[in-house]
Amino acid sequence: MTPLDKPLKRELTIGDATYTLAIDPDGLKLTEKGRRRGVELLWKDLVSGDAALATALQASLEAN
């Protein structure tokens, strides 16, 4: 198995919008193309089951 030791970026289209997905050793980040802010998910949150809570909290903080 190849270790994930540096960021891996891929572009994807969801509906009419284009996004960049960055996967690194800490987690993943989905950002609308041309923007800096996006949704981040840490691997430790995903494994512990706190992923939904962490994502909802981050979304509520960014809305303010």
Side-chain angles (χ1 to χ4, degrees), residues 2-55:
T2 304
L4 182 61
D5 55 358
K6 60 183 178 179
L8 173 69
K9 291 187 177 184
R10 294 293 183 262
E11 185 177 293
L12 63 133
T13 303
I14 302 173
D16 293 334
T18 303
Y19 293 86
T20 299
L21 176 65
I23 304 172
D24 64 29
D26 296 326
L28 57 92
K29 183 175 183 179
L30 184 64
T31 309
E32 191 170 353
K33 184 131 182 163
R35 307 272 178 158
R36 290 185 180 187
R37 301 180 94 185
V39 178
E40 289 187 64
L41 179 60
L42 300 177
W43 298 125
K44 66 179 183 176
D45 293 336
L46 184 63
V47 171
S48 70
D50 293 335
L53 179 61
T55 302

